[in-house]
Amino acid sequence: MISHVTKFINLNDKEFVIHPPPQHNELLSSWLVRVARANDVATTSFTNMHFKEFQKNILWQRDLDIWCPESLLDKLANKSHLPKQQIFDMTLKSYEGKLRRKIHGKNRTHFIQSLGNYAHIKRNGGLRFCPLCLANDLIPYFRKEWRLSFYTACLEHKCFLLNRCPNCNSPLTLSKSYQEKDFTFCYKCGMDLKKINIIQEKDCKLEAIIVLMKVLNNGWGNKLGQTVQSIEYFDFLKQLNKMIYLWENTEEISEKILFSKPLIKSAGYEDFLSSREQHSLYLASYHLISSTSNFQQYIQKNKIYDCYIYKDI
């Protein structure tokens, strides 16, 4: 039975009694929740006892996977006997220098889905998941790539990722649990996320996801026939998304664009698009960035001048 500690016990200088190893590409928040549960303590009680300077659920009131400060990384390494670099690699900040120049928790970071923190409840559905992955995992866990805006579908199971419980529409909040069940159950209604009936789409086009992940991991990509650093590549991709979605320039787009109306006219519009809509957007922008002829036809047909293309880059 999970212990909900009511009286504060100071374990600030103690090591974790049990510390299961991280899974491949696991999110820091996912791993830390698993550590707490392996020690039979509720997640927030566990972190409040072990991290004196981050009491009152402070770790879970922020986006831990982006915000994680240096002092917390040091402490996690000491308590778990894991290399500090291995813990850092579980954070989204490890994409810094490849995805964006700076990644921090103060402002929204392009290409990373926002959690929409409200106290320690998440509102935006920024953590997506594949029910089939959770069901097939020997040890269920949440992947880093599921937080990336362009990672819209599971490459293994060919299905669009979900970001909410289909029963009660609540976004995932890993630090909370339903009747002491683990985080593969909706914390609000208790639905088993591993048993969601999801459609596998055999014709789902995954090329854009595969290439964009390669650009991110390699640190370089092919932009309009030129090899560029991944930051420059993603800067231009961000601009293409804006031209297609916010400016509504969709002439000469070979892929069918599927957007709900009315369009969200704000900088954080991607937080409100479904995985299917984002998939459509990134497929279109990928086809433009990977072909000079496609891009030239696009800007000519939509009458987009160079000064507008590069003004925000």
Side-chain angles (χ1 to χ4, degrees):
M1 180 177 290
I2 298 296
S3 172
H4 294 266
V5 181
T6 55
K7 185 177 180 181
F8 175 70
I9 300 173
N10 188 350
L11 299 177
N12 195 53
D13 298 322
K14 303 294 184 182
E15 298 175 355
F16 296 151
V17 176
I18 303 172
H19 40 86
Q23 299 298 299
H24 178 66
N25 272 5
E26 183 168 15
L27 274 171
L28 177 61
S29 56
S30 171
W31 173 74
L32 190 53
V33 171
R34 290 198 304 107
V35 171
R37 296 191 65 86
N39 285 271
D40 287 329
V41 182
T43 301
T44 50
S45 297
F46 182 80
T47 53
N48 285 336
M49 290 188 295
H50 272 281
F51 305 100
K52 185 178 179 181
E53 64 273 42
F54 301 117
Q55 288 178 27
K56 299 182 180 179
N57 303 337
I58 232 171
L59 293 185
W60 306 105
Q61 291 176 18
R62 304 182 183 184
D63 190 337
L64 177 62
D65 299 310
I66 296 178
W67 163 76
C68 189
E70 201 75 18
S71 60
L72 181 57
L73 289 173
D74 288 329
K75 218 162 191 185
L76 285 167
N78 292 333
K79 286 176 174 289
S80 65
H81 297 289
L82 290 175
K84 182 178 176 181
Q85 185 62 47
Q86 186 176 6
I87 295 174
F88 177 75
D89 287 343
M90 286 190 274
T91 72
L92 297 167
K93 201 167 172 60
S94 62
Y95 290 136
E96 193 171 79
K98 288 187 175 181
L99 183 66
R100 308 294 295 163
R101 284 178 175 80
K102 286 291 181 183
I103 295 177
H104 50 74
K106 294 181 180 179
N107 300 312
R108 187 189 183 282
T109 300
H110 288 285
F111 303 114
I112 293 178
Q113 293 293 102
S114 169
L115 296 179
N117 288 324
Y118 179 74
H120 56 292
I121 302 296
K122 315 306 176 188
R123 297 182 298 181
N124 284 1
L127 177 56
R128 296 193 284 215
F129 65 99
C130 170
L132 297 176
C133 283
L134 294 180
N136 292 337
D137 284 342
L138 185 62
I139 300 173
Y141 68 100
F142 289 81
R143 281 78 161 156
K144 278 172 62 178
E145 56 264 32
W146 288 350
R147 288 288 307 274
L148 296 171
S149 299
F150 53 79
Y151 203 97
T152 52
C154 177
L155 299 181
E156 181 180 355
H157 298 110
K158 294 181 173 59
C159 60
F160 288 109
L161 301 182
L162 304 180
N163 68 348
R164 293 176 181 271
C165 169
N167 184 53
C168 68
N169 202 41
S170 296
L172 275 59
T173 300
L174 298 188
S175 62
K176 296 180 70 66
S177 63
Y178 180 84
Q179 297 180 355
E180 299 183 2
K181 294 183 177 181
D182 67 27
F183 57 23
T184 62
F185 293 82
C186 173
Y187 83 94
K188 201 76 175 284
C189 71
M191 182 176 190
D192 190 343
L193 304 178
K194 303 185 298 298
K195 295 182 178 179
I196 295 172
N197 186 20
I198 194 165
I199 299 173
Q200 290 182 272
E201 308 196 21
K202 294 180 180 180
D203 296 328
C204 181
K205 297 180 179 179
L206 303 174
E207 181 185 3
I209 301 174
I210 293 170
V211 172
L212 294 180
M213 285 304 298
K214 283 183 178 178
V215 172
L216 179 59
N217 291 326
N218 294 337
W220 58 270
N222 190 303
K223 168 197 160 190
L224 302 181
Q226 291 185 326
T227 299
V228 298
Q229 291 185 338
S230 56
I231 289 179
E232 181 180 339
Y233 183 97
F234 284 112
D235 278 346
F236 195 70
L237 191 73
K238 169 177 167 282
Q239 189 71 349
L240 289 176
N241 284 353
K242 184 188 298 185
M243 289 157 61
I244 294 170
Y245 185 86
L246 291 180
W247 301 356
E248 298 186 59
N249 291 316
T250 56
E251 295 292 331
E252 287 296 315
I253 295 291
S254 57
E255 295 299 322
K256 187 177 181 181
I257 300 292
L258 304 170
F259 296 136
S260 300
K261 297 288 185 176
L263 300 182
I264 308 296
K265 296 293 186 178
S266 75
Y269 65 92
E270 286 199 58
D271 292 337
F272 304 97
L273 298 182
S274 68
S275 295
R276 190 180 294 270
E277 289 174 322
Q278 279 185 312
H279 188 80
S280 175
L281 175 61
Y282 278 100
L283 196 58
S285 57
Y286 162 71
H287 282 163
L288 294 181
I289 199 172
S290 59
S291 169
T292 305
S293 60
N294 287 351
F295 177 72
Q296 290 298 331
Q297 290 174 20
Y298 171 75
I299 61 174
Q300 289 171 10
K301 188 71 174 180
N302 290 280
K303 299 178 181 179
I304 303 172
Y305 301 104
D306 284 354
C307 59
Y308 293 111
I309 296 171
Y310 296 99
K311 70 173 183 177
D312 296 327
I313 300 179

